[in-house]
PDB file of all heavy atoms in Angstrom:
ATOM      1  N   PHE A1122     -14.262 -29.096  -4.856  1.00 98.00           N
ATOM      2  CA  PHE A1122     -14.924 -27.906  -5.339  1.00 98.00           C
ATOM      3  C   PHE A1122     -14.069 -27.465  -6.635  1.00 98.00           C
ATOM      4  O   PHE A1122     -14.716 -27.049  -7.581  1.00 98.00           O
ATOM      5  CB  PHE A1122     -14.791 -26.846  -4.256  1.00 98.00           C
ATOM      6  CG  PHE A1122     -14.848 -25.394  -4.853  1.00 98.00           C
ATOM      7  CD1 PHE A1122     -16.044 -24.929  -5.305  1.00 98.00           C
ATOM      8  CD2 PHE A1122     -13.721 -24.684  -4.896  1.00 98.00           C
ATOM      9  CE1 PHE A1122     -16.105 -23.659  -5.887  1.00 98.00           C
ATOM     10  CE2 PHE A1122     -13.717 -23.402  -5.456  1.00 98.00           C
ATOM     11  CZ  PHE A1122     -14.851 -22.918  -6.000  1.00 98.00           C
ATOM     12  N   TYR A1123     -12.782 -27.376  -6.581  1.00 98.00           N
ATOM     13  CA  TYR A1123     -12.009 -26.928  -7.625  1.00 98.00           C
ATOM     14  C   TYR A1123     -12.302 -27.724  -8.923  1.00 98.00           C
ATOM     15  O   TYR A1123     -12.445 -27.161  -9.982  1.00 98.00           O
ATOM     16  CB  TYR A1123     -10.519 -26.932  -7.266  1.00 98.00           C
ATOM     17  CG  TYR A1123      -9.627 -26.343  -8.346  1.00 98.00           C
ATOM     18  CD1 TYR A1123      -9.395 -24.953  -8.346  1.00 98.00           C
ATOM     19  CD2 TYR A1123      -9.116 -27.067  -9.492  1.00 98.00           C
ATOM     20  CE1 TYR A1123      -8.522 -24.373  -9.240  1.00 98.00           C
ATOM     21  CE2 TYR A1123      -8.392 -26.539 -10.391  1.00 98.00           C
ATOM     22  CZ  TYR A1123      -8.013 -25.154 -10.335  1.00 98.00           C
ATOM     23  OH  TYR A1123      -7.324 -24.600 -11.321  1.00 98.00           O
ATOM     24  N   ALA A1124     -12.240 -29.041  -8.716  1.00 96.00           N
ATOM     25  CA  ALA A1124     -12.451 -29.918  -9.950  1.00 96.00           C
ATOM     26  C   ALA A1124     -13.909 -29.806 -10.554  1.00 96.00           C
ATOM     27  O   ALA A1124     -14.057 -29.893 -11.786  1.00 96.00           O
ATOM     28  CB  ALA A1124     -12.145 -31.343  -9.598  1.00 96.00           C
ATOM     29  N   GLN A1125     -14.945 -29.435  -9.742  1.00 96.00           N
ATOM     30  CA  GLN A1125     -16.248 -29.381 -10.220  1.00 96.00           C
ATOM     31  C   GLN A1125     -16.712 -27.989 -10.521  1.00 96.00           C
ATOM     32  O   GLN A1125     -17.889 -27.853 -10.954  1.00 96.00           O
ATOM     33  CB  GLN A1125     -17.165 -29.953  -9.015  1.00 96.00           C
ATOM     34  CG  GLN A1125     -16.833 -31.520  -8.897  1.00 96.00           C
ATOM     35  CD  GLN A1125     -17.422 -31.970  -7.513  1.00 96.00           C
ATOM     36  OE1 GLN A1125     -18.184 -31.278  -6.930  1.00 96.00           O
ATOM     37  NE2 GLN A1125     -16.959 -33.227  -7.144  1.00 96.00           N
ATOM     38  N   SER A1126     -15.828 -27.022 -10.427  1.00 97.00           N
ATOM     39  CA  SER A1126     -16.253 -25.553 -10.733  1.00 97.00           C
ATOM     40  C   SER A1126     -15.663 -25.040 -11.968  1.00 97.00           C
ATOM     41  O   SER A1126     -14.612 -25.658 -12.435  1.00 97.00           O
ATOM     42  CB  SER A1126     -15.934 -24.685  -9.466  1.00 97.00           C
ATOM     43  OG  SER A1126     -14.437 -24.674  -9.281  1.00 97.00           O
ATOM     44  N   ARG A1127     -16.087 -23.923 -12.414  1.00 96.00           N
ATOM     45  CA  ARG A1127     -15.468 -23.239 -13.512  1.00 96.00           C
ATOM     46  C   ARG A1127     -14.811 -22.067 -13.044  1.00 96.00           C
ATOM     47  O   ARG A1127     -15.006 -21.456 -12.086  1.00 96.00           O
ATOM     48  CB  ARG A1127     -16.578 -22.881 -14.524  1.00 96.00           C
ATOM     49  CG  ARG A1127     -17.238 -24.007 -15.163  1.00 96.00           C
ATOM     50  CD  ARG A1127     -18.263 -23.645 -16.175  1.00 96.00           C
ATOM     51  NE  ARG A1127     -18.934 -24.693 -16.921  1.00 96.00           N
ATOM     52  CZ  ARG A1127     -19.690 -24.493 -17.882  1.00 96.00           C
ATOM     53  NH1 ARG A1127     -20.042 -23.297 -18.273  1.00 96.00           N
ATOM     54  NH2 ARG A1127     -20.285 -25.532 -18.552  1.00 96.00           N
ATOM     55  N   PRO A1128     -13.705 -21.598 -13.823  1.00 96.00           N
ATOM     56  CA  PRO A1128     -13.048 -20.373 -13.505  1.00 96.00           C
ATOM     57  C   PRO A1128     -13.947 -19.271 -13.285  1.00 96.00           C
ATOM     58  O   PRO A1128     -14.974 -19.060 -13.967  1.00 96.00           O
ATOM     59  CB  PRO A1128     -12.188 -20.031 -14.723  1.00 96.00           C
ATOM     60  CG  PRO A1128     -11.833 -21.403 -15.264  1.00 96.00           C
ATOM     61  CD  PRO A1128     -13.208 -22.210 -15.045  1.00 96.00           C
ATOM     62  N   GLY A1129     -13.872 -18.386 -12.208  1.00 96.00           N
ATOM     63  CA  GLY A1129     -14.687 -17.261 -11.931  1.00 96.00           C
ATOM     64  C   GLY A1129     -14.214 -16.046 -12.653  1.00 96.00           C
ATOM     65  O   GLY A1129     -13.303 -16.017 -13.465  1.00 96.00           O
ATOM     66  N   ARG A1130     -14.865 -14.849 -12.238  1.00 96.00           N
ATOM     67  CA  ARG A1130     -14.588 -13.632 -12.864  1.00 96.00           C
ATOM     68  C   ARG A1130     -13.114 -13.196 -12.843  1.00 96.00           C
ATOM     69  O   ARG A1130     -12.482 -12.867 -13.737  1.00 96.00           O
ATOM     70  CB  ARG A1130     -15.513 -12.616 -12.310  1.00 96.00           C
ATOM     71  CG  ARG A1130     -15.324 -11.162 -12.932  1.00 96.00           C
ATOM     72  CD  ARG A1130     -16.165 -10.199 -12.169  1.00 96.00           C
ATOM     73  NE  ARG A1130     -16.027  -8.774 -12.628  1.00 96.00           N
ATOM     74  CZ  ARG A1130     -16.513  -7.759 -12.113  1.00 96.00           C
ATOM     75  NH1 ARG A1130     -17.222  -7.920 -10.893  1.00 96.00           N
ATOM     76  NH2 ARG A1130     -16.358  -6.520 -12.700  1.00 96.00           N
ATOM     77  N   TRP A1131     -12.631 -13.161 -11.540  1.00 97.00           N
ATOM     78  CA  TRP A1131     -11.267 -12.673 -11.335  1.00 97.00           C
ATOM     79  C   TRP A1131     -10.163 -13.623 -12.013  1.00 97.00           C
ATOM     80  O   TRP A1131      -9.146 -13.121 -12.452  1.00 97.00           O
ATOM     81  CB  TRP A1131     -11.030 -12.295  -9.844  1.00 97.00           C
ATOM     82  CG  TRP A1131     -11.943 -11.372  -9.231  1.00 97.00           C
ATOM     83  CD1 TRP A1131     -12.832 -11.625  -8.178  1.00 97.00           C
ATOM     84  CD2 TRP A1131     -12.263 -10.051  -9.739  1.00 97.00           C
ATOM     85  NE1 TRP A1131     -13.586 -10.528  -8.001  1.00 97.00           N
ATOM     86  CE2 TRP A1131     -13.279  -9.462  -8.878  1.00 97.00           C
ATOM     87  CE3 TRP A1131     -11.743  -9.229 -10.774  1.00 97.00           C
ATOM     88  CZ2 TRP A1131     -13.883  -8.274  -9.107  1.00 97.00           C
ATOM     89  CZ3 TRP A1131     -12.254  -7.994 -10.998  1.00 97.00           C
ATOM     90  CH2 TRP A1131     -13.390  -7.497 -10.155  1.00 97.00           C
ATOM     91  N   GLU A1132     -10.437 -14.830 -11.667  1.00 97.00           N
ATOM     92  CA  GLU A1132      -9.441 -15.874 -12.335  1.00 97.00           C
ATOM     93  C   GLU A1132      -9.377 -15.694 -13.827  1.00 97.00           C
ATOM     94  O   GLU A1132      -8.257 -15.708 -14.406  1.00 97.00           O
ATOM     95  CB  GLU A1132      -9.940 -17.376 -11.995  1.00 97.00           C
ATOM     96  CG  GLU A1132      -9.010 -18.386 -12.589  1.00 97.00           C
ATOM     97  CD  GLU A1132      -9.616 -19.770 -12.371  1.00 97.00           C
ATOM     98  OE1 GLU A1132     -10.572 -19.945 -11.501  1.00 97.00           O
ATOM     99  OE2 GLU A1132      -8.969 -20.595 -12.834  1.00 97.00           O
ATOM    100  N   THR A1133     -10.493 -15.531 -14.494  1.00 97.00           N
ATOM    101  CA  THR A1133     -10.539 -15.370 -15.869  1.00 97.00           C
ATOM    102  C   THR A1133      -9.725 -14.028 -16.310  1.00 97.00           C
ATOM    103  O   THR A1133      -8.989 -14.112 -17.395  1.00 97.00           O
ATOM    104  CB  THR A1133     -12.025 -15.311 -16.463  1.00 97.00           C
ATOM    105  OG1 THR A1133     -12.710 -16.369 -16.020  1.00 97.00           O
ATOM    106  CG2 THR A1133     -11.916 -15.113 -17.981  1.00 97.00           C
ATOM    107  N   ILE A1134      -9.933 -13.036 -15.538  1.00 97.00           N
ATOM    108  CA  ILE A1134      -9.145 -11.740 -15.911  1.00 97.00           C
ATOM    109  C   ILE A1134      -7.649 -11.843 -15.699  1.00 97.00           C
ATOM    110  O   ILE A1134      -6.816 -11.389 -16.519  1.00 97.00           O
ATOM    111  CB  ILE A1134      -9.835 -10.608 -15.128  1.00 97.00           C
ATOM    112  CG1 ILE A1134     -11.204 -10.405 -15.604  1.00 97.00           C
ATOM    113  CG2 ILE A1134      -8.958  -9.310 -15.328  1.00 97.00           C
ATOM    114  CD1 ILE A1134     -12.053  -9.360 -14.774  1.00 97.00           C
ATOM    115  N   GLU A1135      -7.279 -12.258 -14.444  1.00 97.00           N
ATOM    116  CA  GLU A1135      -6.022 -12.234 -14.002  1.00 97.00           C
ATOM    117  C   GLU A1135      -5.050 -13.449 -14.502  1.00 97.00           C
ATOM    118  O   GLU A1135      -3.920 -13.371 -14.658  1.00 97.00           O
ATOM    119  CB  GLU A1135      -5.831 -12.210 -12.486  1.00 97.00           C
ATOM    120  CG  GLU A1135      -6.306 -10.867 -11.829  1.00 97.00           C
ATOM    121  CD  GLU A1135      -5.184  -9.894 -11.431  1.00 97.00           C
ATOM    122  OE1 GLU A1135      -4.140 -10.075 -12.020  1.00 97.00           O
ATOM    123  OE2 GLU A1135      -5.512  -9.043 -10.752  1.00 97.00           O
ATOM    124  N   GLY A1136      -5.695 -14.642 -14.875  1.00 96.00           N
ATOM    125  CA  GLY A1136      -5.124 -15.737 -15.167  1.00 96.00           C
ATOM    126  C   GLY A1136      -4.346 -16.481 -14.017  1.00 96.00           C
ATOM    127  O   GLY A1136      -3.321 -16.993 -14.211  1.00 96.00           O
ATOM    128  N   ILE A1137      -4.961 -16.356 -12.855  1.00 96.00           N
ATOM    129  CA  ILE A1137      -4.427 -16.891 -11.694  1.00 96.00           C
ATOM    130  C   ILE A1137      -5.385 -17.915 -11.110  1.00 96.00           C
ATOM    131  O   ILE A1137      -6.557 -17.500 -10.594  1.00 96.00           O
ATOM    132  CB  ILE A1137      -4.109 -15.825 -10.541  1.00 96.00           C
ATOM    133  CG1 ILE A1137      -3.212 -14.775 -10.995  1.00 96.00           C
ATOM    134  CG2 ILE A1137      -3.610 -16.466  -9.208  1.00 96.00           C
ATOM    135  CD1 ILE A1137      -3.107 -13.555 -10.190  1.00 96.00           C
ATOM    136  N   ASP A1138      -5.150 -19.154 -11.161  1.00 95.00           N
ATOM    137  CA  ASP A1138      -6.258 -20.166 -10.836  1.00 95.00           C
ATOM    138  C   ASP A1138      -6.587 -20.294  -9.350  1.00 95.00           C
ATOM    139  O   ASP A1138      -7.591 -20.594  -8.994  1.00 95.00           O
ATOM    140  CB  ASP A1138      -5.866 -21.564 -11.366  1.00 95.00           C
ATOM    141  CG  ASP A1138      -4.625 -22.169 -10.568  1.00 95.00           C
ATOM    142  OD1 ASP A1138      -3.639 -21.442 -10.490  1.00 95.00           O
ATOM    143  OD2 ASP A1138      -4.739 -23.282 -10.293  1.00 95.00           O
ATOM    144  N   THR A1139      -5.745 -19.824  -8.527  1.00 97.00           N
ATOM    145  CA  THR A1139      -5.986 -19.696  -7.088  1.00 97.00           C
ATOM    146  C   THR A1139      -7.056 -18.724  -6.684  1.00 97.00           C
ATOM    147  O   THR A1139      -7.728 -18.924  -5.651  1.00 97.00           O
ATOM    148  CB  THR A1139      -4.620 -19.289  -6.312  1.00 97.00           C
ATOM    149  OG1 THR A1139      -3.536 -20.081  -6.736  1.00 97.00           O
ATOM    150  CG2 THR A1139      -4.825 -19.603  -4.793  1.00 97.00           C
ATOM    151  N   LEU A1140      -7.315 -17.743  -7.588  1.00 98.00           N
ATOM    152  CA  LEU A1140      -8.372 -16.784  -7.404  1.00 98.00           C
ATOM    153  C   LEU A1140      -9.677 -17.439  -7.309  1.00 98.00           C
ATOM    154  O   LEU A1140     -10.696 -16.821  -6.973  1.00 98.00           O
ATOM    155  CB  LEU A1140      -8.287 -15.730  -8.424  1.00 98.00           C
ATOM    156  CG  LEU A1140      -7.294 -14.549  -8.244  1.00 98.00           C
ATOM    157  CD1 LEU A1140      -7.201 -13.638  -9.434  1.00 98.00           C
ATOM    158  CD2 LEU A1140      -7.819 -13.724  -6.995  1.00 98.00           C
ATOM    159  N   ARG A1141      -9.858 -18.647  -7.969  1.00 97.00           N
ATOM    160  CA  ARG A1141     -11.130 -19.242  -7.890  1.00 97.00           C
ATOM    161  C   ARG A1141     -11.743 -19.429  -6.579  1.00 97.00           C
ATOM    162  O   ARG A1141     -12.959 -19.244  -6.276  1.00 97.00           O
ATOM    163  CB  ARG A1141     -10.976 -20.723  -8.585  1.00 97.00           C
ATOM    164  CG  ARG A1141     -12.362 -21.321  -8.851  1.00 97.00           C
ATOM    165  CD  ARG A1141     -12.275 -22.566  -9.560  1.00 97.00           C
ATOM    166  NE  ARG A1141     -11.542 -22.502 -10.841  1.00 97.00           N
ATOM    167  CZ  ARG A1141     -11.327 -23.443 -11.643  1.00 97.00           C
ATOM    168  NH1 ARG A1141     -12.035 -24.626 -11.521  1.00 97.00           N
ATOM    169  NH2 ARG A1141     -10.653 -23.274 -12.772  1.00 97.00           N
ATOM    170  N   PHE A1142     -10.760 -19.676  -5.602  1.00 98.00           N
ATOM    171  CA  PHE A1142     -11.335 -19.819  -4.185  1.00 98.00           C
ATOM    172  C   PHE A1142     -11.953 -18.489  -3.612  1.00 98.00           C
ATOM    173  O   PHE A1142     -12.841 -18.439  -2.918  1.00 98.00           O
ATOM    174  CB  PHE A1142     -10.225 -20.291  -3.301  1.00 98.00           C
ATOM    175  CG  PHE A1142      -9.573 -21.556  -3.825  1.00 98.00           C
ATOM    176  CD1 PHE A1142      -8.231 -21.696  -4.060  1.00 98.00           C
ATOM    177  CD2 PHE A1142     -10.276 -22.778  -3.909  1.00 98.00           C
ATOM    178  CE1 PHE A1142      -7.655 -22.744  -4.441  1.00 98.00           C
ATOM    179  CE2 PHE A1142      -9.880 -23.900  -4.443  1.00 98.00           C
ATOM    180  CZ  PHE A1142      -8.407 -23.918  -4.758  1.00 98.00           C
ATOM    181  N   MET A1143     -11.254 -17.333  -4.096  1.00 97.00           N
ATOM    182  CA  MET A1143     -11.794 -16.082  -3.643  1.00 97.00           C
ATOM    183  C   MET A1143     -13.097 -15.684  -4.459  1.00 97.00           C
ATOM    184  O   MET A1143     -14.060 -15.118  -3.927  1.00 97.00           O
ATOM    185  CB  MET A1143     -10.733 -15.034  -3.753  1.00 97.00           C
ATOM    186  CG  MET A1143      -9.715 -14.977  -2.682  1.00 97.00           C
ATOM    187  SD  MET A1143      -7.969 -14.767  -3.236  1.00 97.00           S
ATOM    188  CE  MET A1143      -7.408 -16.402  -3.623  1.00 97.00           C
ATOM    189  N   ASP A1144     -12.971 -16.027  -5.725  1.00 97.00           N
ATOM    190  CA  ASP A1144     -14.257 -15.816  -6.594  1.00 97.00           C
ATOM    191  C   ASP A1144     -15.503 -16.494  -5.925  1.00 97.00           C
ATOM    192  O   ASP A1144     -16.674 -15.927  -6.040  1.00 97.00           O
ATOM    193  CB  ASP A1144     -14.031 -16.286  -7.913  1.00 97.00           C
ATOM    194  CG  ASP A1144     -13.447 -15.304  -8.891  1.00 97.00           C
ATOM    195  OD1 ASP A1144     -13.711 -14.208  -8.907  1.00 97.00           O
ATOM    196  OD2 ASP A1144     -12.557 -15.886  -9.727  1.00 97.00           O
ATOM    197  N   TYR A1145     -15.319 -17.578  -5.361  1.00 97.00           N
ATOM    198  CA  TYR A1145     -16.547 -18.350  -4.774  1.00 97.00           C
ATOM    199  C   TYR A1145     -16.572 -18.294  -3.273  1.00 97.00           C
ATOM    200  O   TYR A1145     -17.426 -18.999  -2.722  1.00 97.00           O
ATOM    201  CB  TYR A1145     -16.447 -19.776  -5.240  1.00 97.00           C
ATOM    202  CG  TYR A1145     -16.763 -20.000  -6.861  1.00 97.00           C
ATOM    203  CD1 TYR A1145     -15.602 -19.995  -7.703  1.00 97.00           C
ATOM    204  CD2 TYR A1145     -18.044 -20.034  -7.214  1.00 97.00           C
ATOM    205  CE1 TYR A1145     -15.958 -20.092  -8.990  1.00 97.00           C
ATOM    206  CE2 TYR A1145     -18.261 -20.260  -8.638  1.00 97.00           C
ATOM    207  CZ  TYR A1145     -17.254 -20.256  -9.521  1.00 97.00           C
ATOM    208  OH  TYR A1145     -17.429 -20.385 -10.857  1.00 97.00           O
ATOM    209  N   GLY A1146     -15.760 -17.477  -2.696  1.00 97.00           N
ATOM    210  CA  GLY A1146     -15.890 -17.311  -1.193  1.00 97.00           C
ATOM    211  C   GLY A1146     -15.402 -18.478  -0.369  1.00 97.00           C
ATOM    212  O   GLY A1146     -15.809 -18.656   0.719  1.00 97.00           O
ATOM    213  N   LYS A1147     -14.371 -19.232  -0.876  1.00 98.00           N
ATOM    214  CA  LYS A1147     -13.883 -20.399  -0.121  1.00 98.00           C
ATOM    215  C   LYS A1147     -12.742 -19.883   0.764  1.00 98.00           C
ATOM    216  O   LYS A1147     -12.070 -18.813   0.530  1.00 98.00           O
ATOM    217  CB  LYS A1147     -13.353 -21.455  -1.121  1.00 98.00           C
ATOM    218  CG  LYS A1147     -14.498 -21.950  -2.116  1.00 98.00           C
ATOM    219  CD  LYS A1147     -15.778 -22.437  -1.401  1.00 98.00           C
ATOM    220  CE  LYS A1147     -16.754 -22.900  -2.380  1.00 98.00           C
ATOM    221  NZ  LYS A1147     -18.102 -23.350  -1.662  1.00 98.00           N
ATOM    222  N   GLU A1148     -12.565 -20.636   1.822  1.00 98.00           N
ATOM    223  CA  GLU A1148     -11.565 -20.246   2.908  1.00 98.00           C
ATOM    224  C   GLU A1148     -10.017 -20.702   2.460  1.00 98.00           C
ATOM    225  O   GLU A1148      -9.816 -21.871   2.527  1.00 98.00           O
ATOM    226  CB  GLU A1148     -11.904 -20.795   4.128  1.00 98.00           C
ATOM    227  CG  GLU A1148     -10.920 -20.450   5.268  1.00 98.00           C
ATOM    228  CD  GLU A1148     -11.394 -20.867   6.710  1.00 98.00           C
ATOM    229  OE1 GLU A1148     -12.335 -21.723   6.681  1.00 98.00           O
ATOM    230  OE2 GLU A1148     -10.730 -20.551   7.678  1.00 98.00           O
ATOM    231  N   LEU A1149      -9.359 -19.716   2.104  1.00 98.00           N
ATOM    232  CA  LEU A1149      -7.892 -20.006   1.729  1.00 98.00           C
ATOM    233  C   LEU A1149      -7.154 -19.166   2.818  1.00 98.00           C
ATOM    234  O   LEU A1149      -7.133 -17.948   2.745  1.00 98.00           O
ATOM    235  CB  LEU A1149      -7.538 -19.503   0.387  1.00 98.00           C
ATOM    236  CG  LEU A1149      -6.101 -19.792  -0.039  1.00 98.00           C
ATOM    237  CD1 LEU A1149      -5.770 -21.295  -0.178  1.00 98.00           C
ATOM    238  CD2 LEU A1149      -5.853 -19.230  -1.390  1.00 98.00           C
ATOM    239  N   ARG A1150      -6.379 -19.807   3.751  1.00 98.00           N
ATOM    240  CA  ARG A1150      -5.625 -19.071   4.756  1.00 98.00           C
ATOM    241  C   ARG A1150      -4.246 -18.872   4.271  1.00 98.00           C
ATOM    242  O   ARG A1150      -3.544 -19.839   3.912  1.00 98.00           O
ATOM    243  CB  ARG A1150      -5.681 -19.928   6.092  1.00 98.00           C
ATOM    244  CG  ARG A1150      -6.975 -20.117   6.704  1.00 98.00           C
ATOM    245  CD  ARG A1150      -7.316 -18.949   7.617  1.00 98.00           C
ATOM    246  NE  ARG A1150      -8.640 -19.082   8.191  1.00 98.00           N
ATOM    247  CZ  ARG A1150      -9.046 -18.389   9.261  1.00 98.00           C
ATOM    248  NH1 ARG A1150      -8.288 -17.465   9.835  1.00 98.00           N
ATOM    249  NH2 ARG A1150     -10.295 -18.533   9.767  1.00 98.00           N
ATOM    250  N   LEU A1151      -3.797 -17.666   4.379  1.00 98.00           N
ATOM    251  CA  LEU A1151      -2.372 -17.377   3.940  1.00 98.00           C
ATOM    252  C   LEU A1151      -1.533 -17.523   5.229  1.00 98.00           C
ATOM    253  O   LEU A1151      -1.913 -17.240   6.305  1.00 98.00           O
ATOM    254  CB  LEU A1151      -2.346 -15.930   3.395  1.00 98.00           C
ATOM    255  CG  LEU A1151      -3.228 -15.738   2.176  1.00 98.00           C
ATOM    256  CD1 LEU A1151      -2.892 -14.302   1.509  1.00 98.00           C
ATOM    257  CD2 LEU A1151      -2.997 -16.805   1.141  1.00 98.00           C
ATOM    258  N   VAL A1152      -0.301 -18.054   4.914  1.00 98.00           N
ATOM    259  CA  VAL A1152       0.685 -18.147   5.928  1.00 98.00           C
ATOM    260  C   VAL A1152       1.986 -17.460   5.572  1.00 98.00           C
ATOM    261  O   VAL A1152       2.567 -17.779   4.537  1.00 98.00           O
ATOM    262  CB  VAL A1152       1.030 -19.641   6.272  1.00 98.00           C
ATOM    263  CG1 VAL A1152       2.026 -19.814   7.391  1.00 98.00           C
ATOM    264  CG2 VAL A1152      -0.249 -20.463   6.518  1.00 98.00           C
TER     265      VAL A1152
END
């Protein structure tokens, strides 16, 4: 998914590439 997608809204603003998963509603579990 990451390789085939483009930076989303929040990733573009904050400059945090991990935000892409939240931009597109993907499941990232924090530990």
Side-chain angles (χ1 to χ4, degrees):
F1122 156 76
Y1123 185 91
Q1125 296 162 9
S1126 62
R1127 293 184 177 182
R1130 180 185 180 190
W1131 303 122
E1132 178 184 354
T1133 302
I1134 294 171
E1135 294 260 18
I1137 303 170
D1138 68 311
T1139 314
L1140 274 172
R1141 188 173 311 185
F1142 306 122
M1143 283 140 271
D1144 270 321
Y1145 290 92
K1147 304 305 178 182
E1148 184 178 1
L1149 184 67
R1150 294 274 178 166
L1151 303 187
V1152 181

